[in-house]
Amino acid sequence: MNIKVNASSEYEILMDEGLLKRAGKEISRVHGSPARLCVVCDSNIYLLYGRENLSFHKSLSEAGFNVCTYVFPGGEEFKTIDTVQGILDFLSENNFTRTDGIVALGGGITGDVAGFAASIFMRGISCIQVPTSLLAMADSSVGGKTGVNTAAGKNMTGSFWQPELVLIDPKALETLPEKHLLEGLAEIIKAAFIGDLSIIDCLSDSIFAATAKAIMVKKNLVEADELESGERKLLNLGHTIAHAIEKCSGYKISHGSAVMTGMYLTALAADKLGWSTQPMAPYIKKIIDAFGYKVITDFAAEDLAAAALNDKKRAGDNITIVYPDVPGHCEMKILPSENLADFIDTGLKKARV
Ligand SMILES: NC(=O)c1ccc[n+]([C@@H]2O[C@H](COP(=O)([O-])OP(=O)(O)OC[C@H]3O[C@@H](n4cnc5c(N)ncnc54)[C@H](O)[C@@H]3O)[C@@H](O)[C@H]2O)c1
């Protein structure tokens, strides 16, 4: 399968079994060799797919690329500016120039840090995204958002930097642990509520087909509003609360569970406030239960609101709440920041009943 994204730059998303083995050939179609490529991966992915004697690396070399590999420790605590600085230094030590590129091989964290490094090295070099987690395949490798966490919060520093190519090999999912599969499913379910409810039915038949549909939902929003000044914000469904939960838990609670909880609390509050055209929380709860996600209600509304608003810095501002309106369609409402805690509390109270 081949999906084209027409953003500020045009690129392809290729989805096919065996792409990891023929990555070099596909990359050479868009990125002329000889060139240097720096594969960025976490230590997990390095062992599974990144090592020099494995087919991915070999295919890049065989296609004529001069390849080096930058390995960093995995985990949200390494999604930092220090990791990006490490990549930038490594590129300089290896004499990378503006015609060279980065290959982000791994999950969403790798894609975000590698993409951010690519966007700022020598004012921007190409980045090829090779997602290996379901979350990265269905969501983060597409659309060009890159970034790192800072003390102030999640993804607080970053850039929009569209990839040159995205290669999705579903074979990689065979090694993905179940708990990480659930992470990706959360973003796919989110896409269903935003733009295509048929994704939910599709999930039981083929995760691959559901992933492609979720990518289409994202692609359409990215093409309409690449820099997120309007409708791309719909992709943030559940994420205001999710990022706050992640931050309040010291990033111990995973993104996927946080997103499902965020969607549910938002739907509960939107239902209670009469915003939604029809009650949507029951739909989301059914899916939460069916997939075995945990609804997280341990944090106080005030703490979540403070985390979401980056503490007092945003006082006086407004915040955009994305809420499910009818199945497969979301709407947005602008809320004064000082009302966010009440909004979250409305959802929390209903969830705790
Ligand atoms: N840029 C965006 O648009 C966007 C969108 C959604 C989420 N994100 C970000 O993505 C991140 C989460 O991504 P994630 O869930 O992929 O996390 P991750 O990158 O940490 O990957 C999860 C874990 O799975 C391992 N892994 C990945 N692929 C594997 C495979 N095929 N086999 C075995 N193990 C594998 C990784 O090594 C890691 O330990 C968050 O930081 C989130 O903010 C970004």
Side-chain angles (χ1 to χ4, degrees), residues 22 30 39 52 88 132 144 189 248 250 253 289 323:
R22 53 173 210 276
V30 298
V39 176
E52 289 69 9
L88 298 175
T132 61
I189 292 164
C248 287
I253 290 172
D289 293 343
Y323 63 94

Side-chain angles (χ1 to χ4, degrees), residues 87-166:
I87 299 170
L88 298 175
D89 292 345
F90 185 76
L91 296 175
S92 297
E93 283 155 20
N94 284 280
N95 304 313
F96 269 58
T97 68
R98 296 187 73 179
T99 54
D100 299 322
I102 287 184
V103 179
L105 174 68
I109 291 177
T110 299
D112 281 5
V113 295
F116 185 41
S119 75
I120 56 176
F121 183 75
M122 299 185 107
R123 297 198 174 82
I125 64 172
S126 108
C127 183
I128 291 114
Q129 293 279 351
V130 187
T132 61
S133 71
L134 183 60
L135 182 143
M137 291 178 186
D139 192 344
S140 62
S141 64
V142 177
K145 269 193 183 178
T146 79
V148 295
N149 306 329
T150 69
K154 202 161 151 71
N155 302 329
M156 286 297 283
T157 295
S159 60
F160 287 95
W161 193 245
Q162 299 296 335
E164 191 178 24
L165 178 69
V166 182

Side-chain angles (χ1 to χ4, degrees), residues 73-319:
E76 201 70 46
E77 63 273 36
F78 289 97
K79 186 172 159 179
T80 60
I81 199 74
D82 286 349
T83 299
V84 171
Q85 186 63 56
I87 299 170
L88 298 175
D89 292 345
F90 185 76
L91 296 175
S92 297
E93 283 155 20
N94 284 280
N95 304 313
F96 269 58
T97 68
R98 296 187 73 179
T99 54
D100 299 322
I102 287 184
V103 179
L105 174 68
I109 291 177
T110 299
D112 281 5
V113 295
F116 185 41
S119 75
I120 56 176
F121 183 75
M122 299 185 107
R123 297 198 174 82
I125 64 172
S126 108
C127 183
I128 291 114
Q129 293 279 351
V130 187
T132 61
S133 71
L134 183 60
L135 182 143
M137 291 178 186
D139 192 344
S140 62
S141 64
V142 177
K145 269 193 183 178
T146 79
V148 295
N149 306 329
T150 69
K154 202 161 151 71
N155 302 329
M156 286 297 283
T157 295
S159 60
F160 287 95
W161 193 245
Q162 299 296 335
E164 191 178 24
L165 178 69
V166 182
L167 299 177
I168 299 178
D169 186 343
K171 277 293 257 185
L173 296 180
E174 288 175 9
T175 56
L176 189 71
E178 168 101 23
K179 67 172 182 169
H180 293 303
L181 205 63
L182 275 180
E183 294 297 297
L185 284 177
E187 298 286 9
I188 293 176
I189 292 164
K190 179 198 79 175
F193 280 98
I194 294 170
D196 181 0
L197 207 68
S198 77
I199 292 174
I200 302 284
D201 293 332
C202 197
L203 269 176
S204 50
D205 297 336
S206 160
I207 286 190
F208 185 65
T211 301
K213 280 171 175 269
I215 290 173
M216 287 305 295
V217 169
K218 183 159 187 182
K219 164 199 144 81
N220 289 333
L221 289 168
V222 167
E223 286 180 348
D225 174 29
E226 183 174 347
L227 300 183
E228 203 179 279
S229 53
E231 60 200 286
R232 184 174 176 163
K233 288 184 186 157
L234 291 170
L235 292 167
N236 295 333
L237 172 64
H239 278 60
T240 299
I241 295 177
H243 286 170
I245 290 172
E246 287 180 83
K247 191 177 170 201
C248 287
S249 76
Y251 298 104
K252 297 270 184 316
I253 290 172
S254 70
H255 186 66
S257 303
V259 166
M260 289 303 293
T261 299
M263 283 199 290
Y264 182 50
L265 295 182
T266 303
L268 283 170
D271 289 351
K272 167 90 179 150
L273 295 167
W275 293 1
S276 305
T277 302
Q278 67 181 83
M280 290 300 298
Y283 271 95
I284 295 175
K285 185 66 169 51
K286 222 168 115 188
I287 291 167
I288 286 179
D289 293 343
F291 286 94
Y293 292 101
K294 185 176 175 284
V295 176
I296 298 141
T297 55
D298 314 356
F299 302 103
E302 295 71 28
D303 294 341
L304 291 174
L309 296 167
N310 190 14
D311 213 354
K312 295 172 194 65
K313 288 198 195 87
R314 296 273 301 275
D317 285 353
N318 293 324
I319 187 155

